Amino acid sequence: MAGFTDTVLQKKLEDLNESQQSIQTLSLWLIHHRKHYQLIVKTWSKEVAKGNEVQRLTLMYLANDVIQNSKRKGPEYTKEFIPVLKRAFRLIANSTISEKTRQKIERMLQIWDERMVYDRKLVDEFKRIFHKRVICFLDPEREVEENSFQESTKKPRISREEQKPKVIERERKISEVEVDGTKELHVTLSPHSSSGDPPEVDELIKALLELENSASVDVAVREKISKLPPEVSEVKLLAKLEDKETALKLAERVNAALELLTEYNNRLGMEMDERRKVQQMLHDYTISQKQLLQQAEARLEEYKEKLIKVEQVRHEVMSHLNNLPDMKQLPDVTSGLAPLPSAGDLFT
């Protein structure tokens, strides 16, 4: 890859296409040259301003990839992109865009909210900017959707800590790419990818801990069910009813048992759904760890080979040094010799 210059940056942004490989390659290059983040973000914003619908969507994908992958190395891009993203969402909203493009932008915003790429209030602000004018260029009937969105932002929202763990449909793929001679691991996070995504460790732990409070381990409720009288479930015992008062009392017990069992069955159904999600999370996590293990083993073998080569070179160097003569032990060939004539003596 080429070194960083204004011209190279401009050319790379102009040559960017919507393929995953193109976005990933340029994203890695921008992260590698993150010390120029201010110029990069400024130039990105200019390209968005003059681009068409497809180019703008591709540049938004690029920003998404850079922001998410650069977080581990520093907050420069995450902070610098905030004001230009607001302008970009407003610009896209004020232009004529297709329904497909609108859905892709909304999907990206949803991912930012789910992954906490930005604070929820900031993501909501991005959404308001994008929804404010985008309705005008689509279907007038969609105005109802905008109003409902604005109303939803006014309602109290459940904090992230209170939300139940769920399998988020994220698109991520780990790959190794060489940037200016340096190999770096890259996680593909672009919204248009469709590969399975392993959960974060904290998310997986939280989901497993939630299962400890599931219905199947609720001893108190299970004990109540086991102690229900047989007449609430045995139809043949109805023949023993002798009067209306006894029948009414039995009906109350049956209704109470029915309510208890209905609620418990609903909880068991929800637990089954959660366990399926956790099973999928564990499956995805195991696959991702195996892939990372394979990469680590391959890299270990690579550096083992490099170590062997370096040791061979070291051995050759030491052998060469040992075969060189010791200058201190050589005889002094200059002792006893007459001094060389001066320049004046040569011409007299």
Side-chain angles (χ1 to χ4, degrees):
M1 281 192 172
F4 185 90
T5 64
D6 295 1
T7 306
V8 172
L9 171 62
Q10 186 77 28
K11 183 71 166 57
K12 286 182 176 293
L13 288 173
E14 291 175 353
D15 294 343
L16 180 68
N17 60 62
E18 55 186 331
S19 69
Q20 178 178 311
Q21 180 64 34
S22 178
I23 293 172
Q24 173 184 299
T25 303
L26 182 52
S27 172
L28 273 168
W29 188 82
L30 296 178
I31 294 172
H32 184 75
H33 295 288
R34 60 188 176 280
K35 64 180 179 180
H36 305 286
Y37 70 95
Q38 292 178 322
L39 175 61
I40 289 171
V41 173
K42 183 179 180 180
T43 308
W44 176 92
S45 182
K46 290 180 179 178
E47 289 298 313
V48 171
K50 69 180 184 181
N52 57 32
E53 179 181 348
V54 176
Q55 291 169 335
R56 287 172 177 172
L57 179 61
T58 304
L59 288 166
M60 293 300 286
Y61 280 154
L62 174 66
N64 168 73
D65 204 284
V66 170
I67 291 168
Q68 294 199 57
N69 276 292
S70 65
K71 270 192 167 185
R72 294 169 295 174
K73 299 185 178 181
E76 300 94 342
Y77 280 117
T78 306
K79 294 179 179 179
E80 191 71 16
F81 262 109
I82 292 175
V84 298
L85 281 171
K86 292 179 181 179
R87 292 196 293 271
F89 282 122
R90 186 175 295 109
L91 182 66
I92 295 173
N94 288 337
S95 61
T96 305
I97 61 173
S98 65
E99 179 71 12
K100 187 176 181 180
T101 298
R102 182 188 68 81
Q103 291 175 354
K104 289 181 178 180
I105 295 293
E106 289 182 343
R107 172 59 180 153
M108 185 177 69
L109 287 169
Q110 179 187 351
I111 290 174
W112 287 2
D113 191 13
E114 291 172 349
R115 300 183 189 171
M116 295 176 284
V117 176
Y118 283 113
D119 181 80
R120 171 163 285 175
K121 291 182 179 179
L122 184 56
V123 175
D124 282 344
E125 185 178 353
F126 289 152
K127 290 180 179 179
R128 283 194 294 271
I129 293 172
F130 181 65
H131 281 255
K132 188 174 182 180
R133 293 292 302 278
V134 72
I135 310 301
C136 302
F137 294 96
L138 295 169
D139 186 350
E141 296 179 359
R142 293 192 62 83
E143 195 168 333
V144 178
E145 178 182 330
E146 179 188 7
N147 294 333
S148 63
F149 169 79
Q150 292 175 345
E151 289 297 324
S152 66
T153 58
K154 297 178 183 178
K155 297 178 182 179
R157 311 223 20 205
I158 301 173
S159 64
R160 295 181 190 276
E161 292 75 14
E162 295 173 351
Q163 290 179 339
K164 289 186 177 181
K166 59 183 179 179
V167 179
I168 300 173
E169 293 181 0
R170 291 171 291 180
E171 298 79 20
R172 182 165 64 179
K173 181 180 179 181
I174 299 173
S175 57
E176 189 178 72
V177 182
E178 186 170 326
V179 183
D180 289 354
T182 303
K183 289 185 177 180
E184 296 187 11
L185 286 179
H186 180 270
V187 182
T188 303
L189 295 159
S190 298
H192 60 291
S193 176
S194 59
S195 57
D197 175 47
E200 301 293 339
V201 177
D202 293 343
E203 182 184 356
L204 183 58
I205 292 174
K206 186 177 180 181
L208 290 170
L209 290 176
E210 284 288 334
L211 291 178
E212 294 183 359
N213 300 320
S214 57
S216 60
V217 295
D218 193 336
V219 179
V221 175
R222 292 173 62 184
E223 186 175 354
K224 286 182 181 179
I225 294 174
S226 65
K227 291 182 178 180
L228 289 174
E231 56 265 24
V232 301
S233 58
E234 294 291 338
V235 179
K236 62 183 180 180
L237 297 179
L238 295 177
K240 296 181 180 181
L241 294 176
E242 298 177 354
D243 52 51
K244 184 176 181 181
E245 183 179 354
T246 306
L248 289 174
K249 290 181 179 179
L250 178 59
E252 290 180 1
R253 290 197 295 269
V254 170
N255 288 334
L258 178 63
E259 183 179 351
L260 176 65
L261 290 169
T262 301
E263 181 183 356
Y264 189 64
N265 283 333
N266 290 336
R267 289 178 59 195
L268 287 173
M270 294 173 61
E271 179 185 344
M272 289 179 62
D273 292 338
E274 290 299 320
R275 289 190 180 277
R276 290 191 189 98
K277 291 178 181 179
V278 172
Q279 181 184 14
Q280 186 63 44
M281 292 169 71
L282 289 169
H283 175 73
D284 294 340
Y285 185 78
T286 302
I287 291 177
S288 70
Q289 290 303 307
K290 287 182 179 179
Q291 292 174 346
L292 290 173
L293 177 61
Q294 291 175 354
Q295 293 178 4
E297 290 175 342
R299 181 166 293 182
L300 176 61
E301 291 300 321
E302 176 185 348
Y303 282 101
K304 279 183 177 179
E305 293 178 1
K306 289 184 178 180
L307 177 60
I308 293 173
K309 292 179 180 179
V310 171
E311 288 180 342
Q312 289 176 346
V313 172
R314 178 178 176 275
H315 177 73
E316 292 296 328
V317 170
M318 295 302 298
S319 176
H320 184 67
L321 286 174
N322 292 332
N323 291 329
L324 290 175
D326 188 350
M327 299 300 294
K328 294 180 180 179
Q329 297 180 1
L330 293 177
D332 186 3
V333 295
T334 61
S335 61
L337 296 178
L340 293 174
S342 64
D345 295 337
L346 294 175
F347 297 99
T348 56

